[in-house]
Amino acid sequence: MKKRILIAPLNWGLGHATRCIPIINALLAYDFEPIIASDGVALKLLQKEFPKLSSIELPAYNITYAKKGKHFKLKLLKDTPKLLKAIKAEKKAVKDIIETYNISGIISDNRLGIYSKKVPSVFITHQLHVLSGNTTWLSTKLHQKFIKKFSVCWVPDMKNEPNLSGKLGHPDNFDLPTKYLGPLSRFEKKSIKIVNNIMVLLSGPEPQRTLLEEKLLLEFKNYPNKIVFVKGIMEEEQTIQIIKNMTVYNFMTSDLLEKTINESAIIISRSGYTTIMDLAKLNKKAFFIPTPGQFEQEYLAKRLTELNLVPSCNQDEFTLHKLKNLNAFIGLKSFDFKANFKDLFSLFERK
């Protein structure tokens, strides 16, 4: 009988779910039976990608962003009781899931309560160092305290320089067993003709996703060249709308997204870590607009701009004019994306 592995990404934008796709495919290739667990759009996305796999709805964190970036930390602080309540509910759910589904191992992508002392439990994160301004030391300490409840931590990045996550994934000291997988992406680079001048790729929690969508639709409405605009809203049916030179999708599944990114010259998106890994895999030129107040995205965007790889700016400052110097930047280059899954999954083979 195949060993069942619970794989549970956090529902915070689509990035945690999408970077689990190559892991789920690897589990299937190594003859495990993945059981998907999440909530909201993350769960919907994985159900669309893997309709034959069993899936479970987990308690929702229900964290939303402040409308103004400067209120981000205050909003998170206010949401802390809700977050702790969700983690407590996750722990209870995990006990039932292990028994009901006869689970042999757990892979949690940033879900803090999805672990068990009964089975090997993996925590996936690129944030061993959690930036939060003048409280960075505290947020890092708290995050690491949660991670230490797991058997091992997997970091989707290179261990040494050059790497994509910088100081986020490379703390000075961290005493839990840690394995660097190399970056993860569900995509493959294809040599196909460029047909779109710009692709706008949105995701992330509300209300910031909608605020950026409205701003960019307005900004690009009279743009003369071909644009593909993906809102990043997971709905039952895909919708396609044509507005002058712009084709607007509510969402795309992996195959269409891979094809469209490959055939687009420039990608405009958030500087979420999963997006950065995907665009590095596909060697893309990009422009990043970090989520206001999200220190991690602001750090990653600033770092990649300073490395002369990808230009970026604040959400409020974006105009079409910002794209004029894009050719002065190198773009993202591919790293070694071949994770040693045989070695990583050996954890679940132990009796």
Side-chain angles (χ1 to χ4, degrees):
M1 190 176 148
K2 292 181 181 182
K3 287 194 171 183
R4 289 180 177 158
I5 308 299
L6 185 70
I7 183 153
L10 181 64
N11 176 36
W12 187 308
L14 295 174
H16 296 285
T18 58
R19 72 184 185 191
C20 283
I21 290 173
I23 297 174
I24 294 169
N25 281 325
L27 283 167
L28 291 166
Y30 282 94
D31 217 27
F32 291 97
E33 184 185 337
I35 307 283
I36 295 162
S38 191
D39 65 286
V41 292
L43 182 61
K44 276 184 188 163
L45 179 126
L46 292 177
Q47 285 169 334
K48 282 183 191 295
E49 294 291 329
F50 301 99
K52 291 180 180 172
L53 293 183
S54 298
S55 60
I56 301 160
E57 187 165 1
L58 290 173
Y61 281 35
N62 284 328
I63 305 295
T64 54
Y65 284 170
K67 279 196 172 171
K68 292 195 184 303
K70 63 182 181 182
H71 299 144
F72 176 79
K73 206 194 297 188
L74 196 66
K75 177 79 169 69
L76 269 187
L77 205 62
K78 199 176 151 195
D79 281 341
T80 299
K82 197 160 63 171
L83 183 68
L84 293 172
K85 192 179 171 187
I87 293 166
K88 194 176 175 184
E90 278 184 333
K91 287 181 185 173
K92 187 174 181 296
V94 139
K95 279 184 185 172
D96 296 338
I97 292 165
I98 287 172
E99 285 175 22
T100 307
Y101 289 85
N102 190 24
I103 299 294
S104 297
I106 292 169
I107 300 173
S108 165
D109 189 324
N110 275 265
R111 294 197 82 113
L112 300 168
I114 302 294
Y115 65 89
S116 172
K117 294 279 179 266
K118 291 181 178 177
V119 297
S121 301
V122 175
F123 191 80
I124 299 177
T125 187
H126 62 278
Q127 289 190 83
L128 296 173
H129 193 78
V130 182
L131 304 182
S132 61
N134 56 8
T135 54
T136 290
W137 66 274
L138 180 62
S139 52
T140 297
K141 209 169 184 60
L142 287 171
H143 198 226
Q144 291 187 2
K145 190 181 175 187
F146 273 108
I147 300 170
K148 284 173 183 175
K149 296 178 189 294
F150 290 75
S151 316
V152 64
C153 181
W154 291 354
V155 180
D157 198 3
M158 308 303 289
K159 186 174 184 178
N160 303 310
E161 291 280 1
N163 59 63
L164 289 173
S165 66
K167 65 183 178 185
L168 298 179
H170 302 83
D172 294 332
N173 52 358
F174 181 57
D175 55 7
L176 181 79
T178 305
K179 295 201 172 188
Y180 287 83
L181 320 184
L184 288 172
S185 176
R186 57 185 159 156
F187 297 141
E188 293 297 332
K189 182 168 169 52
K190 307 262 169 66
S191 299
I192 51 180
K193 188 183 168 191
I194 298 292
V195 294
N196 307 306
N197 189 259
I198 286 174
M199 179 180 190
V200 175
L201 192 54
L202 299 185
S203 76
E206 299 294 2
Q208 291 297 344
R209 191 211 58 78
T210 296
L211 292 173
L212 184 57
E213 177 196 316
E214 289 166 353
K215 183 179 179 69
L216 294 183
L217 283 172
L218 196 64
E219 199 65 43
F220 284 113
K221 72 174 181 183
N222 296 317
Y223 188 73
N225 298 318
K226 200 170 173 195
I227 297 180
V228 173
F229 197 111
V230 184
K231 292 181 176 184
I233 302 171
M234 293 306 298
E235 293 173 323
E236 287 306 312
E237 299 294 325
Q238 187 183 67
T239 60
I240 304 168
Q241 197 183 358
I242 310 290
I243 308 168
K244 296 184 181 174
N245 284 347
M246 190 160 27
T247 308
V248 182
Y249 290 79
N250 53 349
F251 72 89
M252 288 182 177
T253 52
S254 286
D255 290 348
L256 181 58
L257 200 54
E258 177 185 77
K259 177 179 179 286
T260 311
I261 296 173
N262 269 301
E263 61 189 21
S264 300
I266 298 159
I267 312 300
I268 297 175
S269 71
R270 295 294 194 198
S271 47
Y273 188 65
T274 302
T275 301
I276 291 169
M277 290 194 290
D278 286 340
L279 299 184
K281 181 80 178 277
L282 302 182
N283 299 166
K284 280 293 159 187
K285 288 217 162 207
F287 190 98
F288 288 142
I289 306 168
T291 301
Q294 194 179 337
F295 293 95
E296 171 217 355
Q297 287 195 13
E298 288 168 348
Y299 164 74
L300 288 168
K302 185 169 181 277
R303 179 175 183 263
L304 294 172
T305 299
E306 287 171 352
L307 289 170
N308 201 41
L309 298 176
V310 180
S312 58
C313 75
N314 294 337
Q315 188 163 300
D316 291 343
E317 295 170 357
F318 181 80
T319 61
L320 274 181
H321 191 64
K322 293 277 184 190
L323 302 179
K324 72 176 180 14
N325 295 325
L326 219 139
N327 284 334
F329 289 80
I330 297 162
L332 287 159
K333 293 284 177 257
S334 187
F335 289 77
D336 182 4
F337 277 75
K338 293 181 178 68
N340 185 348
F341 284 115
K342 188 178 181 184
D343 174 56
L344 294 165
F345 296 160
S346 66
L347 179 73
F348 307 128
E349 298 289 3
R350 294 171 199 160
K351 296 294 177 199

